[in-house]
Amino acid sequence: MINVKDVISALDISRSSVELILSEADSIKKELAEKRCLHIADDKIVMTVFLEPSTRTRLSFQYAAAYLGAKVLDFGATEMSSIQKGETFEDTIRMVDGYGPDVIVLRQSVQGNAKKAADIASAPLINAGDGANEHPTQALTDVFTIKQETGRVSGLTVGIMGDLKHGRTVSSLSYMLDKFEDNSVIYIAPEELQVKEEVTSKLTNLKYSKADMVENVMEGLDVLYVTRIQKERFTDQNEYERLKGSYVISRNFLQKFKRKPIIMHPLPRVDELISDVDSMKEAKYFEQARNGVYVRMALLKEVMGL
Ligand code: CP
């Protein structure tokens, strides 16, 4: 059984719950190769509320619920809701919860509002990304993919590169790797976009260092986790323009190294990861996105007590 009712932060999920979800996701992946639907949640309703744009998280949760047999109701575009008429976030959550979903999956842009919503709702609530804060289900997907590709979640050296200041996957993945032994992270970013102290101060076990040149650390990495420079979170667009081309991973760049890490990315990508990498055997990001369905099925199953 998972140790939390609401999934708000990767910090809150116990190591044994993470291991349970990884193991269940693995079984579900095999089962789903043979069946269209598991039919274990036919009387359940999963409500997805995405108040910030999403492709992967929204669709993978909706597919995950459908593959379990649950009905999926979606809040729809914010522009078509009464938020446009000035309805508060709190009242919106009260209404969503009041109709009786079995789980609410929420994405929105304000750090801390996932917790606020969970405190209002009686249904379990899953944080599908709260601003630049956290994205715990992405981190579960990330460690599932790392385990699938390397055979382990311990004893890894992971380079996390790009916009570490604004990227919510960075904090959640760090907290997830912190739960296991002998993991190291190298945070690769220009000083302006380096990992936040509020993230590193919460690490208890994970060894970490910082670098500004990816080429200097490539040979020691098991995983290179590339992230997008998050244009939408910059207050100064000139600063975004100055930093946006800081790192570019291309086939040409990767071919310089004899020992190559697997390449991961939470996606979407813009221009930090060139499409000529896609056909390389190290490119795992589309597989990572597909794995999101199995991991979210395992999580929904646990959160709904199935
Ligand atoms: N990785 C991720 O969260 O992608 P979306 O924003 O498309 O959901």
Side-chain angles (χ1 to χ4, degrees):
M1 230 176 79
I2 191 169
N3 67 304
V4 285
K5 167 184 167 275
D6 305 300
V7 180
I8 305 303
S9 164
L11 287 166
D12 302 336
I13 312 170
S14 67
R15 175 178 169 155
S16 59
S17 295
V18 174
E19 287 169 336
L20 173 72
I21 289 160
L22 300 187
S23 160
E24 287 197 347
D26 193 46
S27 305
I28 285 170
K29 184 170 184 172
K30 290 179 184 123
E31 213 177 335
L32 213 60
E34 295 175 3
K35 284 185 202 160
R36 188 71 180 145
C37 180
L38 305 194
H39 290 297
I40 59 168
D42 293 1
D43 61 345
K44 303 292 184 195
I45 298 174
V46 174
M47 177 84 213
T48 52
V49 182
F50 280 72
L51 308 179
E52 235 196 4
S54 168
T55 296
R56 274 147 295 276
T57 314
R58 182 170 51 87
L59 292 181
S60 61
F61 262 115
Q62 292 177 344
Y63 270 91
Y67 287 140
L68 289 170
K71 290 178 185 60
V72 182
L73 298 179
D74 186 67
F75 185 77
T78 314
E79 298 73 45
M80 295 302 289
S81 78
S82 288
I83 292 173
Q84 286 304 102
K85 302 176 203 163
E87 186 158 45
T88 63
F89 176 71
E90 289 83 347
D91 280 356
T92 301
I93 298 300
R94 269 183 205 107
M95 292 314 305
V96 162
D97 185 57
Y99 293 123
D102 292 285
V103 183
I104 300 168
V105 179
L106 173 70
R107 170 171 290 187
Q108 51 72 52
S109 59
V110 181
Q111 175 164 347
N113 266 3
K115 172 79 174 74
K116 183 188 273 187
D119 290 344
I120 292 169
S122 55
L125 188 137
I126 299 176
N127 177 12
D130 60 334
N133 188 37
E134 277 221 53
H135 196 348
T137 68
Q138 178 69 50
L140 286 168
T141 301
D142 297 341
V143 290
F144 178 83
T145 306
I146 291 171
K147 187 167 186 204
Q148 176 187 274
E149 298 302 328
T150 69
R152 63 196 199 279
V153 284
S154 298
L156 294 158
T157 303
V158 179
I160 306 183
M161 190 185 91
D163 186 351
L164 313 185
K165 180 179 171 188
H166 301 110
R168 55 192 166 206
T169 62
V170 176
S171 46
S172 293
L173 177 57
S174 300
Y175 302 149
M176 203 56 76
L177 291 169
D178 192 45
K179 297 179 198 295
F180 298 91
E181 300 86 26
D182 300 324
N183 286 327
S184 304
V185 165
I186 305 175
Y187 293 111
I188 308 157
E191 194 48 43
E192 298 89 330
L193 298 180
Q194 260 298 351
V195 64
K196 293 175 282 196
E197 206 271 330
E198 75 175 76
V199 174
T200 54
S201 66
K202 291 176 187 142
L203 301 173
T204 57
N205 189 32
L206 186 68
K207 294 184 278 298
Y208 72 89
S209 57
K210 296 179 185 177
D212 60 359
M213 300 284 281
V214 62
E215 42 275 63
N216 293 349
V217 298
M218 276 293 283
E219 297 274 6
L221 300 180
D222 300 299
V223 178
L224 177 62
Y225 189 95
V226 185
T227 68
R228 174 177 66 92
I229 310 283
Q230 307 228 331
K231 183 178 184 186
E232 68 277 22
R233 306 212 193 275
F234 278 75
T235 46
D236 177 355
Q237 286 305 304
N238 292 330
E239 182 80 341
Y240 167 74
E241 290 299 328
R242 188 173 69 77
L243 293 168
K244 72 176 183 186
S246 296
Y247 302 107
V248 178
I249 301 300
S250 64
R251 175 180 280 261
N252 193 31
F253 172 79
L254 290 173
Q255 278 173 338
K256 289 186 207 155
F257 304 95
K258 204 179 271 178
R259 182 178 185 273
K260 298 181 191 54
I262 60 165
I263 309 298
M264 294 177 61
H265 193 310
L267 302 174
R269 63 177 160 187
V270 186
D271 42 21
E272 67 285 354
L273 179 57
I274 307 296
S275 59
D276 65 5
V277 177
D278 298 358
S279 57
M280 295 179 77
K281 69 176 175 25
E282 291 81 11
K284 301 297 177 191
Y285 31 93
F286 290 117
E287 174 71 7
Q288 182 186 353
R290 280 191 294 274
N291 283 338
V293 173
Y294 315 119
V295 169
R296 289 173 174 121
M297 285 176 76
L299 182 64
L300 285 172
K301 179 172 174 287
E302 281 303 313
V303 166
M304 291 192 285
L306 299 172

